[in-house]
Amino acid sequence: MPKIAVAEGDGIGKEVIPVAVRVIAAVRPDLEFFPVEVGYGRWERTGEAITPAEIRAMKEADAVLFGAVTTPPDPNYRSVVVRMRKELDLYANVRPVRGGDADIVIVRENTEGLYSGIEEVGPDRATTVRLVTRKGSERIARFACGLAKGRRHLTVGHKANVLKADTLFREACIAAAAEAGVPVREKFIDALCLDVLQHPRDYDVIVTENMFGDILSDVAAYLVGGLGMLPSGNIGDRHALFEPVHGSAPKHAGRNTANPVAAVRSGAMLLGHLGDREGEARIERAIGRALSSGVKTRDLGGAAGTREMGEAIVAALGERPADRGEPCLD
């Protein structure tokens, strides 16, 4: 029986992830879910946002479903997300942007760049090292080319005209594309952010370094209705974690207003990663049917709450929300 670690995190993560679990359980009642507590709330209570025990639990799971965490501007607080990505070696961040005129997959290097955690803060100067290695660049390039095979082409987003580290990244991507036989082109990241909005049909698979991919995927969310619609997967050679792209949005927490679609779609990606492509497709179809029926959260111009949106998705699967009861997080 596949085991799924569920880390709700903070803020609206505690509302959207239970909805995602409910939808996944409706499709795959054989899955076993177990909770893992991480985040700012835990840090406030215990002084630790995540411990080695949680990392071990995630490594033992077949996949992780993660919500969002609040990161305070406190030098003593170590980013939970950065630590998980590094310790589980989740080097590929995959963010599909599908809807309307867009069918784009943004592949973001996930362990280096400005988010590598190499920082120094003094009274008059703060420094963050933007780390780009050949190993990191080559493996994310190979991963992106693997996704681009069977599709149309690969676009490399970089700023090599200004940032010398991007020369290494650019060369690794172009070399990997040539080896894989994938058509490749390149574009400066600032121009790419605008062009992907103006001409989304021109793009297929896009690969970038860490921070550029973070920004680009948030920009591209505009094409499909905002961050409440965008899922992501964090993939490594042995482990995988799936999470909505949006943050913890603490000011919206506890109000039953958050859009759970990104979390549900992240759950669908999780099923696809486990090899259940039909389960993934069923969830995507159910989301489409629920939205087409007029059930939408406020960010999409509707009036449905988080729970109501989830109930509509489960109903669109062909099951009543109460048919299976609430999945148990032992």
Side-chain angles (χ1 to χ4, degrees):
M1 177 184 295
K3 295 183 178 181
I4 310 302
V6 179
E8 296 177 354
D10 303 309
I12 62 172
K14 295 184 177 298
E15 297 175 76
V16 298
I17 291 302
V19 171
V21 170
R22 193 172 191 181
V23 173
I24 297 169
V27 175
R28 287 289 302 273
D30 60 308
L31 297 182
E32 179 183 334
F33 300 90
F34 67 91
V36 177
E37 185 188 9
V38 301
Y40 180 55
R42 175 179 176 139
W43 183 75
E44 284 188 306
R45 193 179 74 255
T46 69
E48 293 183 286
I50 186 171
T51 71
E54 282 73 54
I55 295 293
R56 284 195 301 271
M58 292 180 183
K59 288 182 176 180
E60 291 169 1
D62 293 282
V64 181
L65 183 63
F66 175 66
V69 292
T70 299
T71 302
D74 188 315
N76 296 316
Y77 185 91
R78 184 181 176 190
S79 171
V80 169
V81 175
V82 169
R83 182 172 177 185
M84 290 190 303
R85 289 172 179 169
K86 293 185 74 171
E87 295 207 29
L88 275 66
D89 198 24
L90 306 174
Y91 63 87
N93 185 242
V94 181
R95 297 185 170 186
V97 183
R98 296 191 177 102
D101 291 335
D103 183 6
I104 303 167
V105 180
I106 297 172
V107 180
R108 162 192 173 197
E109 201 291 320
N110 216 21
T111 61
E112 299 185 346
L114 287 175
Y115 298 159
S116 60
I118 306 172
E119 299 187 277
E120 181 180 324
V121 179
D124 301 308
R125 174 177 171 172
T127 303
T128 299
V129 175
R130 185 174 182 266
L131 176 68
V132 178
T133 70
R134 183 169 301 280
K135 175 186 175 182
S137 299
E138 289 178 346
R139 70 177 181 174
I140 195 63
R142 288 192 298 268
F143 185 95
C145 288
L147 291 183
K149 276 193 170 183
R151 292 176 62 101
R152 292 183 294 148
H153 50 72
L154 177 71
T155 300
V156 183
H158 63 78
K159 197 66 176 172
N161 59 325
V162 175
L163 301 172
K164 300 309 177 187
D166 271 22
T167 301
L168 190 158
F169 181 82
R170 170 187 175 274
E171 290 174 351
C173 292
I174 291 174
E179 182 178 348
V182 172
V184 63
R185 56 189 185 174
E186 55 185 303
K187 203 167 187 70
F188 295 142
I189 191 68
D190 44 356
L192 178 57
C193 285
L194 175 61
D195 201 52
V196 79
L197 296 181
Q198 293 179 321
H199 308 105
R201 292 183 179 179
D202 290 350
Y203 294 94
D204 188 23
V205 178
I206 303 173
V207 62
T208 74
E209 64 85 57
N210 203 337
M211 188 181 71
F212 288 164
D214 191 11
I215 295 170
L216 177 64
S217 57
D218 281 12
V219 169
Y222 172 82
L223 296 168
V224 294
L227 292 177
M229 302 293 287
L230 217 59
S232 74
N234 300 271
I235 314 295
D237 292 333
R238 293 192 297 168
H239 307 291
L241 179 151
F242 299 86
E243 61 176 324
V245 170
H246 62 67
S248 62
K251 68 179 182 180
H252 296 292
R255 298 169 58 185
N256 192 41
T257 59
N259 186 347
V261 169
V264 175
R265 280 185 162 159
S266 298
M269 289 182 69
L270 183 152
L271 291 186
H273 178 75
L274 294 179
D276 186 359
R277 296 296 181 185
E278 175 53 30
E280 180 181 23
R282 278 191 66 195
I283 292 175
E284 283 292 343
R285 289 194 298 266
I287 292 170
R289 285 195 291 267
L291 293 172
S292 296
S293 73
V295 181
K296 298 178 181 180
T297 47
R298 294 180 185 179
D299 58 312
L300 301 176
T306 309
R307 292 186 295 273
E308 292 73 25
M309 188 75 237
E311 289 168 1
I313 295 170
V314 173
L317 288 167
E319 301 180 39
R320 295 168 57 86
D323 280 348
R324 300 191 186 278
E326 294 290 344
C328 178
L329 298 182
D330 295 325

